[in-house]
Amino acid sequence: MTKLTAMKAFQRKIDAYCAMRLSPIFSTNDADALNAYMRRLIERRCGPQRTGGHTDWDVVARLTGVDAAMLAVHQRAIDPAFDAIIRWSKDGDAGKDMPPGSRKSAADRKKAVFAGQPKARAETVGADTTRPRDDLAKRKPADIIDFPEPLFQQWTDPATAAEIARAQSG
């Protein structure tokens, strides 16, 4: 798939998301402005302005013309689209300078990340030091009592459902 085809396909997904999730919440003009803003982000291959790992709603409000308070209130509906755009733009930028056959797969990248970390040794990984494991096989099971004594000697039968309903309504 060419880059242009991939971009158009992703834009269609974002358009569908906006139609399904944002149109019921925002006015038509606001939903269209957010959708256009997201399309511009896709075309530029960048994410929205973020501060401290969170979307800066004041900047988004200035660029879209939508009220910042309204954006902040409905951030749980908007952020998944922004997160998808950020992931998509990062995936597209990862192999820009590399020839197509030399890109690493996700499994290879994961192996490379974990290769530099020290291996955990068996004696340091959550060993249960309170009792040896060998004692479990030697333990005698508890005796089975056919008719155990009740914990409480006094018993009150619960009321039937009909009696409870009559007491609550009366």
Side-chain angles (χ1 to χ4, degrees):
M1 190 181 310
T2 65
K3 288 183 181 183
L4 182 62
T5 308
M7 181 185 297
K8 294 295 180 188
F10 186 65
Q11 283 178 342
R12 282 193 301 272
K13 288 180 182 182
I14 292 297
D15 291 344
Y17 182 86
C18 290
M20 184 176 16
R21 301 289 178 164
L22 301 184
S23 293
I25 298 171
F26 294 97
S27 69
T28 307
N29 292 337
D30 290 347
D32 289 344
L34 283 168
N35 192 4
Y37 175 64
M38 289 181 195
R39 289 175 75 80
R40 283 192 308 270
L41 291 175
I42 293 168
E43 289 168 2
R44 294 182 181 136
R45 290 193 168 275
C46 64
Q49 181 67 37
R50 291 195 166 221
T51 304
H54 300 287
T55 304
D56 191 349
W57 296 113
D58 294 327
V59 173
V60 175
R62 267 188 311 216
L63 293 172
T64 59
V66 180
D67 182 37
M70 183 79 161
L71 292 172
V73 167
H74 297 293
Q75 69 180 357
R76 293 186 73 189
I78 304 168
D79 265 341
F82 284 159
D83 292 341
I85 292 168
I86 292 168
R87 284 192 311 273
W88 183 80
S89 64
K90 283 183 182 176
D91 289 343
D93 290 342
K96 258 188 191 175
D97 302 328
M98 301 171 68
S102 66
R103 291 185 69 183
K104 292 183 180 180
S105 69
D108 292 338
R109 287 191 302 263
K110 191 173 187 180
K111 286 178 189 175
V113 167
F114 287 115
Q117 296 178 352
K119 302 268 189 228
R121 295 190 317 226
E123 61 267 6
T124 62
V125 177
D128 187 7
T129 58
T130 57
R131 62 174 185 229
R133 291 298 222 179
D134 298 337
D135 287 349
L136 294 177
K138 296 176 187 173
R139 279 190 177 171
K140 179 183 170 197
D143 294 331
I144 299 173
I145 303 170
D146 291 331
F147 300 103
E149 292 293 322
L151 295 175
F152 306 101
Q153 298 298 327
Q154 186 176 8
W155 178 262
T156 306
D157 284 331
T160 62
E163 291 173 359
I164 293 172
R166 268 187 248 120
Q168 288 177 350
S169 65

